[in-house]
Amino acid sequence: MPILRNIGFLAMCKDEGGQGEIHPIKNAAIAWQDDTISWVGTESDLPSEYKDEEAFDAKEKMVIPGLIDCHTHLAFGGWRPDEFAMRVQGKSYLEIAKAGGGILSTVKETRKDSEDELYEKAAGFLKEIARLGVTTVECKSGYGLTVKDELKSLRVYQRLAEDQLIQIVGTFLGAHTIPPEYKDNRQAYIDLVIEEMIPEVAEQELAEFCDIFAEESAFTIEESRRILTNAKAAGLTPKLHADQLTSCGGAELAAEMEAASADHLEKISDAGIEAMAKAGVVGVTLPLASLYTQEEPLNCRKLVDGGVEVAVATDFNPGSAPSFDLPLAMMLACNQGRMSPAEVLKGATIYAAKAIKKDIQVGSIEKGKLADFAIIDVPNPDFWMYHYKGAQCLRSFKKGRKLI
Ligand code: NIG
Ligand code: FE
Protein backbone atom coordinates (compact mmCIF):
# COMPACT_ATOMS: atom_id res chain seq x y z
CA MET A 1 0.00 0.00 0.00
CA PRO A 2 1.96 3.11 -1.16
CA ILE A 3 2.06 6.35 0.83
CA LEU A 4 2.67 9.92 -0.27
CA ARG A 5 4.11 11.66 2.78
CA ASN A 6 5.65 14.98 3.79
CA ILE A 7 2.97 17.03 1.99
CA GLY A 8 3.33 20.67 3.04
CA PHE A 9 -0.15 21.71 1.90
CA LEU A 10 -2.83 19.29 0.74
CA ALA A 11 -6.02 20.60 -0.90
CA MET A 12 -8.68 17.89 -0.69
CA CYS A 13 -11.19 19.88 -2.81
CA LYS A 14 -14.28 18.02 -1.61
CA ASP A 15 -17.62 18.98 -3.11
CA GLU A 16 -18.89 20.28 0.23
CA GLY A 17 -18.78 24.00 0.93
CA GLY A 18 -18.67 26.83 -1.56
CA GLN A 19 -16.46 27.50 -4.55
CA GLY A 20 -13.56 28.69 -2.36
CA GLU A 21 -13.65 25.86 0.22
CA ILE A 22 -10.77 23.52 -0.67
CA HIS A 23 -10.42 21.66 2.67
CA PRO A 24 -6.68 22.17 3.25
CA ILE A 25 -4.56 19.95 5.48
CA LYS A 26 -1.05 20.95 6.50
CA ASN A 27 1.70 18.30 6.93
CA ALA A 28 -0.45 15.67 5.31
CA ALA A 29 -0.12 12.14 3.93
CA ILE A 30 -2.14 9.99 1.52
CA ALA A 31 -2.25 6.18 1.40
CA TRP A 32 -3.72 4.14 -1.43
CA GLN A 33 -4.37 0.55 -2.34
CA ASP A 34 -4.19 -0.36 -6.03
CA ASP A 35 -6.04 2.51 -7.77
CA THR A 36 -8.04 3.79 -4.79
CA ILE A 37 -7.29 6.18 -1.91
CA SER A 38 -7.53 4.35 1.41
CA TRP A 39 -6.49 7.05 3.87
CA VAL A 40 -5.85 10.82 3.89
CA GLY A 41 -5.09 13.12 6.81
CA THR A 42 -2.43 14.77 8.92
CA GLU A 43 0.76 12.71 8.70
CA SER A 44 1.11 12.44 12.47
CA ASP A 45 -2.25 10.61 12.49
CA LEU A 46 -1.13 8.04 9.89
CA PRO A 47 -2.26 4.64 11.24
CA SER A 48 0.68 2.52 12.35
CA GLU A 49 -0.10 -0.26 9.87
CA TYR A 50 0.86 2.11 7.02
CA LYS A 51 4.18 3.18 8.53
CA ASP A 52 6.44 0.66 6.81
CA GLU A 53 4.84 0.90 3.37
CA GLU A 54 6.54 2.14 0.21
CA ALA A 55 6.72 5.93 0.56
CA PHE A 56 6.99 8.82 -1.88
CA ASP A 57 8.25 12.11 -0.45
CA ALA A 58 6.33 15.27 -1.44
CA LYS A 59 9.18 17.38 0.01
CA GLU A 60 6.75 19.72 1.78
CA LYS A 61 5.24 20.87 -1.52
CA MET A 62 1.55 21.34 -2.40
CA VAL A 63 -0.52 18.31 -3.41
CA ILE A 64 -3.81 18.73 -5.26
CA PRO A 65 -6.27 16.35 -6.91
CA GLY A 66 -5.15 15.53 -10.47
CA LEU A 67 -6.32 18.44 -12.62
CA ILE A 68 -9.27 17.83 -14.95
CA ASP A 69 -9.54 19.60 -18.30
CA CYS A 70 -13.30 19.27 -18.84
CA HIS A 71 -13.46 20.95 -22.29
CA THR A 72 -11.08 20.26 -25.17
CA HIS A 73 -11.28 19.63 -28.92
CA LEU A 74 -8.19 17.40 -28.79
CA ALA A 75 -8.23 15.61 -32.17
CA PHE A 76 -7.91 17.88 -35.19
CA GLY A 77 -6.02 18.17 -38.45
CA GLY A 78 -3.76 21.14 -39.25
CA TRP A 79 -3.36 24.43 -37.40
CA ARG A 80 -4.58 28.04 -38.02
CA PRO A 81 -1.74 30.42 -37.11
CA ASP A 82 -2.75 32.69 -40.04
CA GLU A 83 -6.07 33.40 -38.29
CA PHE A 84 -4.28 34.25 -35.06
CA ALA A 85 -2.19 36.83 -36.92
CA MET A 86 -5.36 38.28 -38.51
CA ARG A 87 -7.20 38.51 -35.20
CA VAL A 88 -4.43 40.30 -33.37
CA GLN A 89 -4.51 42.85 -36.18
CA GLY A 90 -8.22 43.48 -35.75
CA LYS A 91 -10.24 40.90 -37.75
CA SER A 92 -12.87 39.24 -35.59
CA TYR A 93 -13.34 35.50 -35.05
CA LEU A 94 -16.73 35.71 -36.79
CA GLU A 95 -15.42 37.68 -39.79
CA ILE A 96 -12.73 35.06 -40.33
CA ALA A 97 -15.28 32.26 -40.02
CA LYS A 98 -17.61 33.95 -42.52
CA ALA A 99 -14.74 34.27 -44.99
CA GLY A 100 -14.32 30.46 -44.99
CA GLY A 101 -11.79 30.16 -42.16
CA GLY A 102 -12.63 29.16 -38.61
CA ILE A 103 -14.06 25.77 -37.75
CA LEU A 104 -14.55 24.86 -41.43
CA SER A 105 -10.89 25.17 -42.29
CA THR A 106 -10.09 22.64 -39.53
CA VAL A 107 -12.92 20.41 -40.80
CA LYS A 108 -11.18 20.28 -44.18
CA GLU A 109 -7.85 19.26 -42.61
CA THR A 110 -9.40 16.78 -40.17
CA ARG A 111 -11.27 14.97 -42.93
CA LYS A 112 -7.96 14.52 -44.78
CA ASP A 113 -6.22 12.88 -41.80
CA SER A 114 -6.45 9.15 -41.14
CA GLU A 115 -7.54 7.82 -37.77
CA ASP A 116 -3.93 6.85 -37.05
CA GLU A 117 -2.64 10.34 -37.91
CA LEU A 118 -5.19 11.95 -35.61
CA TYR A 119 -4.35 9.42 -32.92
CA GLU A 120 -0.60 10.14 -33.05
CA LYS A 121 -1.10 13.89 -32.90
CA ALA A 122 -3.59 13.70 -30.01
CA ALA A 123 -1.39 11.24 -28.09
CA GLY A 124 1.47 13.73 -28.43
CA PHE A 125 -0.68 16.49 -26.95
CA LEU A 126 -1.68 14.25 -24.06
CA LYS A 127 1.93 13.64 -23.16
CA GLU A 128 2.49 17.39 -22.79
CA ILE A 129 -0.85 17.94 -21.05
CA ALA A 130 0.04 15.30 -18.43
CA ARG A 131 3.20 17.28 -17.54
CA LEU A 132 0.96 20.09 -16.26
CA GLY A 133 -0.58 17.87 -13.57
CA VAL A 134 -3.68 16.99 -15.61
CA THR A 135 -4.96 13.44 -15.11
CA THR A 136 -8.36 13.54 -16.88
CA VAL A 137 -9.30 15.17 -20.22
CA GLU A 138 -12.68 15.58 -21.91
CA CYS A 139 -12.37 15.44 -25.71
CA LYS A 140 -14.91 16.54 -28.32
CA SER A 141 -15.42 15.55 -31.92
CA GLY A 142 -16.89 18.23 -34.21
CA TYR A 143 -14.27 18.63 -36.94
CA GLY A 144 -15.52 15.74 -39.06
CA LEU A 145 -19.17 16.62 -39.67
CA THR A 146 -19.86 13.48 -41.71
CA VAL A 147 -20.92 10.20 -40.13
CA LYS A 148 -17.61 8.64 -41.08
CA ASP A 149 -15.40 11.51 -39.90
CA GLU A 150 -17.24 12.11 -36.64
CA LEU A 151 -16.93 8.42 -35.78
CA LYS A 152 -13.26 8.56 -36.78
CA SER A 153 -12.50 11.27 -34.18
CA LEU A 154 -14.52 9.52 -31.50
CA ARG A 155 -12.70 6.25 -32.21
CA VAL A 156 -9.41 8.10 -31.68
CA TYR A 157 -10.65 9.07 -28.20
CA GLN A 158 -11.85 5.55 -27.52
CA ARG A 159 -8.44 4.13 -28.45
CA LEU A 160 -6.66 6.76 -26.33
CA ALA A 161 -8.92 5.87 -23.40
CA GLU A 162 -7.89 2.25 -23.75
CA ASP A 163 -4.16 2.81 -24.35
CA GLN A 164 -3.24 5.73 -22.12
CA LEU A 165 -3.07 6.02 -18.35
CA ILE A 166 -4.47 9.56 -18.48
CA GLN A 167 -8.29 9.35 -18.41
CA ILE A 168 -10.25 10.36 -21.53
CA VAL A 169 -13.95 11.22 -21.68
CA GLY A 170 -15.51 11.44 -25.15
CA THR A 171 -18.11 13.97 -26.29
CA PHE A 172 -19.95 13.98 -29.61
CA LEU A 173 -20.11 17.48 -31.17
CA GLY A 174 -21.60 16.77 -34.60
CA ALA A 175 -23.60 19.99 -34.21
CA HIS A 176 -20.50 22.21 -34.19
CA THR A 177 -21.38 24.03 -37.39
CA ILE A 178 -23.16 23.35 -40.69
CA PRO A 179 -20.66 21.75 -43.10
CA PRO A 180 -20.20 23.34 -46.55
CA GLU A 181 -22.02 20.58 -48.46
CA TYR A 182 -25.19 21.39 -46.47
CA LYS A 183 -24.91 25.16 -46.51
CA ASP A 184 -28.12 25.54 -48.51
CA ASN A 185 -29.94 22.81 -46.64
CA ARG A 186 -29.21 23.09 -42.93
CA GLN A 187 -32.30 21.08 -42.08
CA ALA A 188 -30.87 18.05 -43.86
CA TYR A 189 -27.66 18.28 -41.81
CA ILE A 190 -29.62 18.51 -38.56
CA ASP A 191 -31.60 15.44 -39.65
CA LEU A 192 -28.33 13.62 -40.36
CA VAL A 193 -27.08 14.44 -36.85
CA ILE A 194 -30.31 13.22 -35.29
CA GLU A 195 -31.12 10.25 -37.46
CA GLU A 196 -27.69 8.82 -38.21
CA MET A 197 -24.91 10.25 -36.08
CA ILE A 198 -26.52 10.19 -32.63
CA PRO A 199 -27.86 6.61 -32.95
CA GLU A 200 -24.49 5.38 -34.24
CA VAL A 201 -22.50 7.13 -31.49
CA ALA A 202 -24.85 5.81 -28.81
CA GLU A 203 -24.99 2.28 -30.25
CA GLN A 204 -21.19 2.02 -30.45
CA GLU A 205 -20.79 3.74 -27.04
CA LEU A 206 -18.32 6.18 -28.54
CA ALA A 207 -19.29 9.14 -26.33
CA GLU A 208 -20.97 9.89 -23.02
CA PHE A 209 -22.00 13.45 -23.87
CA CYS A 210 -23.58 15.33 -26.76
CA ASP A 211 -22.41 18.93 -27.08
CA ILE A 212 -23.71 21.65 -29.41
CA PHE A 213 -22.59 25.12 -30.48
CA ALA A 214 -25.74 27.09 -29.62
CA GLU A 215 -25.13 30.45 -31.27
CA GLU A 216 -26.77 32.65 -33.91
CA SER A 217 -23.95 31.79 -36.30
CA ALA A 218 -24.16 28.03 -35.60
CA PHE A 219 -27.34 26.37 -34.22
CA THR A 220 -30.41 28.28 -33.00
CA ILE A 221 -31.98 27.59 -29.63
CA GLU A 222 -34.84 25.72 -31.33
CA GLU A 223 -32.43 23.55 -33.34
CA SER A 224 -30.27 22.96 -30.27
CA ARG A 225 -33.28 21.89 -28.22
CA ARG A 226 -34.30 19.38 -30.89
CA ILE A 227 -30.83 17.89 -31.23
CA LEU A 228 -30.18 17.65 -27.50
CA THR A 229 -33.62 16.15 -26.82
CA ASN A 230 -32.83 13.38 -29.27
CA ALA A 231 -29.35 12.91 -27.84
CA LYS A 232 -30.77 12.60 -24.35
CA ALA A 233 -33.30 10.03 -25.49
CA ALA A 234 -30.39 8.02 -26.93
CA GLY A 235 -28.61 8.09 -23.56
CA LEU A 236 -26.11 10.93 -24.17
CA THR A 237 -25.92 13.68 -21.56
CA PRO A 238 -26.28 17.23 -22.96
CA LYS A 239 -23.55 19.88 -22.82
CA LEU A 240 -23.59 23.25 -24.56
CA HIS A 241 -21.26 25.86 -26.00
CA ALA A 242 -23.54 28.67 -24.86
CA ASP A 243 -23.70 32.47 -25.01
CA GLN A 244 -20.13 32.76 -26.28
CA LEU A 245 -20.50 35.47 -28.92
CA THR A 246 -24.10 36.63 -28.40
CA SER A 247 -26.61 36.40 -25.57
CA CYS A 248 -29.06 34.00 -27.17
CA GLY A 249 -30.56 31.99 -24.32
CA GLY A 250 -28.01 29.17 -24.32
CA ALA A 251 -27.67 29.12 -20.53
CA GLU A 252 -31.45 28.98 -20.13
CA LEU A 253 -31.60 26.05 -22.56
CA ALA A 254 -28.83 24.27 -20.63
CA ALA A 255 -30.96 24.56 -17.48
CA GLU A 256 -34.08 23.36 -19.30
CA MET A 257 -32.21 20.35 -20.72
CA GLU A 258 -30.56 19.57 -17.36
CA ALA A 259 -27.21 19.69 -19.13
CA ALA A 260 -24.07 18.61 -17.28
CA SER A 261 -22.52 21.96 -18.14
CA ALA A 262 -22.84 25.14 -20.17
CA ASP A 263 -19.49 26.41 -21.38
CA HIS A 264 -18.06 29.82 -22.48
CA LEU A 265 -20.97 32.00 -21.21
CA GLU A 266 -19.20 35.34 -21.82
CA LYS A 267 -22.56 36.86 -22.85
CA ILE A 268 -24.76 35.08 -20.28
CA SER A 269 -27.87 36.97 -19.11
CA ASP A 270 -28.91 37.43 -15.48
CA ALA A 271 -31.85 35.12 -16.14
CA GLY A 272 -29.40 32.54 -17.50
CA ILE A 273 -27.33 32.68 -14.30
CA GLU A 274 -30.45 32.21 -12.21
CA ALA A 275 -31.70 29.32 -14.31
CA MET A 276 -28.35 27.51 -14.21
CA ALA A 277 -28.02 27.96 -10.44
CA LYS A 278 -31.52 26.56 -9.93
CA ALA A 279 -30.95 23.58 -12.23
CA GLY A 280 -27.45 22.83 -10.85
CA VAL A 281 -25.77 23.15 -14.26
CA VAL A 282 -22.00 23.68 -13.93
CA GLY A 283 -20.75 26.82 -15.70
CA VAL A 284 -17.43 26.23 -17.47
CA THR A 285 -15.25 29.28 -18.02
CA LEU A 286 -12.78 29.13 -20.92
CA PRO A 287 -10.59 32.21 -20.45
CA LEU A 288 -8.06 31.17 -23.10
CA ALA A 289 -10.83 31.37 -25.72
CA SER A 290 -11.88 34.90 -24.82
CA LEU A 291 -8.20 35.91 -24.62
CA TYR A 292 -7.35 34.50 -28.07
CA THR A 293 -10.51 35.90 -29.69
CA GLN A 294 -10.02 39.30 -28.10
CA GLU A 295 -13.49 39.11 -26.51
CA GLU A 296 -14.50 40.45 -23.10
CA PRO A 297 -13.71 37.69 -20.54
CA LEU A 298 -16.45 36.06 -18.50
CA ASN A 299 -17.05 37.70 -15.14
CA CYS A 300 -17.02 34.46 -13.15
CA ARG A 301 -17.59 36.37 -9.92
CA LYS A 302 -21.16 37.08 -11.03
CA LEU A 303 -21.82 33.39 -11.59
CA VAL A 304 -20.22 32.29 -8.31
CA ASP A 305 -22.12 34.95 -6.38
CA GLY A 306 -25.28 33.90 -8.22
CA GLY A 307 -24.93 30.32 -6.96
CA VAL A 308 -23.42 28.65 -10.05
CA GLU A 309 -20.52 26.22 -9.57
CA VAL A 310 -17.83 27.36 -12.00
CA ALA A 311 -15.34 24.97 -13.60
CA VAL A 312 -12.24 26.15 -15.50
CA ALA A 313 -11.05 24.49 -18.71
CA THR A 314 -8.81 25.24 -21.70
CA ASP A 315 -11.12 24.72 -24.74
CA PHE A 316 -7.93 23.54 -26.49
CA ASN A 317 -8.55 23.73 -30.27
CA PRO A 318 -6.62 25.10 -33.27
CA GLY A 319 -8.75 28.25 -33.60
CA SER A 320 -10.15 30.04 -30.58
CA ALA A 321 -7.87 28.48 -27.94
CA PRO A 322 -4.64 26.98 -29.32
CA SER A 323 -3.14 26.39 -25.86
CA PHE A 324 -3.70 23.38 -23.59
CA ASP A 325 -2.18 25.05 -20.54
CA LEU A 326 -4.81 24.52 -17.83
CA PRO A 327 -2.87 26.26 -15.03
CA LEU A 328 -2.59 29.27 -17.35
CA ALA A 329 -6.38 29.21 -17.87
CA MET A 330 -6.73 29.08 -14.07
CA MET A 331 -4.48 32.11 -13.65
CA LEU A 332 -6.57 34.02 -16.21
CA ALA A 333 -9.76 32.99 -14.41
CA CYS A 334 -8.26 34.67 -11.33
CA ASN A 335 -7.07 37.86 -12.99
CA GLN A 336 -9.87 38.31 -15.51
CA GLY A 337 -12.69 36.22 -14.08
CA ARG A 338 -12.19 37.56 -10.54
CA MET A 339 -12.02 34.22 -8.82
CA SER A 340 -9.60 33.49 -5.99
CA PRO A 341 -6.84 30.87 -6.44
CA ALA A 342 -8.76 28.52 -4.14
CA GLU A 343 -11.90 29.01 -6.26
CA VAL A 344 -10.14 28.24 -9.54
CA LEU A 345 -8.54 25.18 -7.95
CA LYS A 346 -11.96 23.84 -7.10
CA GLY A 347 -12.97 24.79 -10.65
CA ALA A 348 -10.24 22.64 -12.21
CA THR A 349 -10.82 19.66 -9.91
CA ILE A 350 -14.14 18.73 -8.28
CA TYR A 351 -16.38 21.09 -10.30
CA ALA A 352 -14.62 20.05 -13.51
CA ALA A 353 -15.37 16.45 -12.48
CA LYS A 354 -19.02 17.43 -12.06
CA ALA A 355 -19.04 19.01 -15.53
CA ILE A 356 -18.22 15.56 -16.94
CA LYS A 357 -20.25 13.62 -14.36
CA LYS A 358 -17.21 11.90 -12.92
CA ASP A 359 -17.30 13.41 -9.43
CA ILE A 360 -18.02 10.06 -7.79
CA GLN A 361 -14.68 8.84 -9.11
CA VAL A 362 -12.27 11.80 -9.42
CA GLY A 363 -11.84 15.51 -8.60
CA SER A 364 -11.02 15.36 -4.88
CA ILE A 365 -8.61 13.59 -2.55
CA GLU A 366 -10.92 11.47 -0.43
CA LYS A 367 -11.03 7.88 0.77
CA GLY A 368 -12.66 5.70 -1.89
CA LYS A 369 -11.82 7.94 -4.84
CA LEU A 370 -9.24 7.17 -7.51
CA ALA A 371 -5.67 7.88 -6.40
CA ASP A 372 -5.19 10.83 -8.79
CA PHE A 373 -3.02 13.66 -7.53
CA ALA A 374 -0.32 16.09 -8.55
CA ILE A 375 2.63 17.47 -6.60
CA ILE A 376 3.07 21.16 -7.44
CA ASP A 377 6.30 23.00 -6.66
CA VAL A 378 4.66 25.76 -4.59
CA PRO A 379 3.66 26.28 -0.95
CA ASN A 380 -0.06 26.88 -1.62
CA PRO A 381 -2.63 27.84 -4.34
CA ASP A 382 -2.23 31.60 -3.78
CA PHE A 383 1.48 31.45 -4.53
CA TRP A 384 0.92 29.16 -7.53
CA MET A 385 -1.44 31.57 -9.26
CA TYR A 386 0.41 34.71 -8.16
CA HIS A 387 3.96 33.76 -9.24
CA TYR A 388 2.65 31.95 -12.31
CA LYS A 389 5.14 30.03 -14.40
CA GLY A 390 5.02 26.87 -16.45
CA ALA A 391 6.32 23.42 -15.53
CA GLN A 392 5.50 23.45 -11.84
CA CYS A 393 4.14 19.94 -11.61
CA LEU A 394 6.90 17.77 -10.14
CA ARG A 395 5.08 14.43 -10.22
CA SER A 396 1.59 13.10 -10.76
CA PHE A 397 -0.26 9.86 -10.08
CA LYS A 398 -3.23 8.45 -11.98
CA LYS A 399 -5.08 5.51 -10.42
CA GLY A 400 -2.17 5.22 -7.98
CA ARG A 401 0.40 4.84 -10.77
CA LYS A 402 3.06 7.37 -11.66
CA LEU A 403 1.80 9.36 -14.66
CA ILE A 404 4.79 11.72 -14.79
O1 NIG B 1 -15.16 26.25 -28.26
N1 NIG B 1 -17.21 27.86 -30.18
C1 NIG B 1 -17.13 26.89 -30.90
N2 NIG B 1 -16.14 26.01 -30.99
C2 NIG B 1 -14.82 26.18 -30.55
C3 NIG B 1 -13.97 26.85 -31.56
C4 NIG B 1 -13.51 25.92 -32.53
C5 NIG B 1 -12.60 26.52 -33.55
O2 NIG B 1 -12.44 27.75 -33.67
O3 NIG B 1 -12.07 25.68 -34.27
C6 NIG B 1 -14.76 26.88 -29.22
O4 NIG B 1 -14.34 28.03 -29.10
FE1 FE C 1 -15.10 24.52 -27.27
Side-chain angles (χ1 to χ4, degrees), residues 71 73 140 241 264 286 315 317:
H71 182 140
H73 305 248
K140 303 176 197 296
H241 283 67
H264 281 292
L286 305 168
D315 195 19
N317 73 72

Side-chain angles (χ1 to χ4, degrees), residues 2 15 63 88 153 168 184 219 245 301 314 320 328 338 342 362 395:
D15 190 23
V63 171
V88 294
S153 298
I168 305 294
D184 299 320
F219 294 88
L245 305 168
R301 189 79 262 135
T314 62
S320 65
L328 175 62
R338 308 283 166 188
V362 293
R395 159 130 296 148

Side-chain angles (χ1 to χ4, degrees), residues 126-171:
L126 285 176
K127 221 181 243 170
E128 294 183 79
I129 288 170
R131 283 191 210 123
L132 302 164
V134 175
T135 52
T136 303
V137 183
E138 185 263 9
C139 304
K140 303 176 197 296
S141 67
Y143 290 125
L145 311 186
T146 64
V147 178
K148 170 174 130 290
D149 292 299
E150 281 298 298
L151 297 185
K152 178 176 74 180
S153 298
L154 291 174
R155 264 198 311 271
V156 167
Y157 299 144
Q158 190 181 47
R159 280 172 56 192
L160 289 167
E162 286 163 8
D163 301 350
Q164 310 274 326
L165 183 54
I166 194 166
Q167 184 174 354
I168 305 294
V169 175
T171 295

Side-chain angles (χ1 to χ4, degrees), residues 68-70 282 311-312 346-357:
I68 298 172
D69 195 343
C70 66
V282 176
V312 185
K346 208 147 164 180
T349 55
I350 189 66
Y351 292 167
K354 288 175 115 175
I356 52 171
K357 297 222 173 268

Side-chain angles (χ1 to χ4, degrees), residues 76-314:
F76 56 83
W79 289 97
R80 286 151 44 201
D82 48 330
E83 294 182 10
F84 171 69
M86 283 155 84
R87 279 201 310 276
V88 294
Q89 288 173 68
K91 276 243 177 313
S92 77
Y93 180 76
L94 267 182
E95 282 168 340
I96 293 169
K98 279 186 188 139
I103 296 171
L104 288 181
S105 74
T106 298
V107 168
K108 215 185 267 169
E109 296 303 314
T110 307
R111 286 179 179 176
K112 275 189 223 156
D113 279 358
S114 68
E115 187 180 310
D116 285 346
E117 284 166 332
L118 290 176
Y119 177 94
E120 288 308 323
K121 190 170 166 185
F125 294 146
L126 285 176
K127 221 181 243 170
E128 294 183 79
I129 288 170
R131 283 191 210 123
L132 302 164
V134 175
T135 52
T136 303
V137 183
E138 185 263 9
C139 304
K140 303 176 197 296
S141 67
Y143 290 125
L145 311 186
T146 64
V147 178
K148 170 174 130 290
D149 292 299
E150 281 298 298
L151 297 185
K152 178 176 74 180
S153 298
L154 291 174
R155 264 198 311 271
V156 167
Y157 299 144
Q158 190 181 47
R159 280 172 56 192
L160 289 167
E162 286 163 8
D163 301 350
Q164 310 274 326
L165 183 54
I166 194 166
Q167 184 174 354
I168 305 294
V169 175
T171 295
F172 166 63
L173 177 58
H176 198 186
T177 193
I178 301 286
E181 56 282 13
Y182 285 92
K183 79 173 188 314
D184 299 320
N185 192 2
R186 56 187 295 120
Q187 210 41 57
Y189 183 67
I190 294 169
D191 290 345
L192 181 75
V193 170
I194 292 174
E195 287 159 22
E196 294 190 42
M197 293 185 187
I198 289 174
E200 202 62 52
V201 170
E203 157 88 27
Q204 295 189 37
E205 296 183 20
L206 283 170
E208 295 177 47
F209 296 92
C210 177
D211 201 338
I212 188 157
F213 189 14
E215 186 63 54
E216 275 165 18
S217 56
F219 294 88
T220 66
I221 293 298
E222 268 316 306
E223 291 166 347
S224 302
R225 181 183 285 112
R226 191 173 152 230
I227 292 170
L228 292 178
T229 303
N230 279 278
K232 220 172 155 175
L236 301 172
T237 303
K239 268 181 169 291
L240 287 91
H241 283 67
D243 300 324
Q244 178 186 9
L245 305 168
T246 54
S247 182
C248 62
E252 290 87 333
L253 179 66
E256 178 192 321
M257 298 301 312
E258 296 172 319
S261 72
D263 305 30
H264 281 292
L265 302 173
E266 287 85 347
K267 305 285 189 312
I268 192 170
S269 67
D270 290 348
I273 295 178
E274 214 185 303
M276 280 179 56
K278 218 186 247 163
V281 177
V282 176
V284 181
T285 187
L286 305 168
L288 288 162
S290 45
L291 181 77
Y292 272 103
T293 54
Q294 293 78 35
E295 297 280 341
E296 195 61 35
L298 172 62
N299 181 351
C300 305
R301 189 79 262 135
K302 248 184 114 172
L303 272 73
V304 172
D305 293 346
V308 177
E309 293 174 340
V310 177
V312 185
T314 62

Side-chain angles (χ1 to χ4, degrees), residues 1-2 31-39 50 369 371 399-400:
M1 196 175 311
W32 63 98
Q33 171 110 49
D34 304 322
D35 61 1
T36 305
I37 296 170
S38 50
W39 188 88
Y50 295 137
K369 285 213 170 175
K399 293 186 175 174

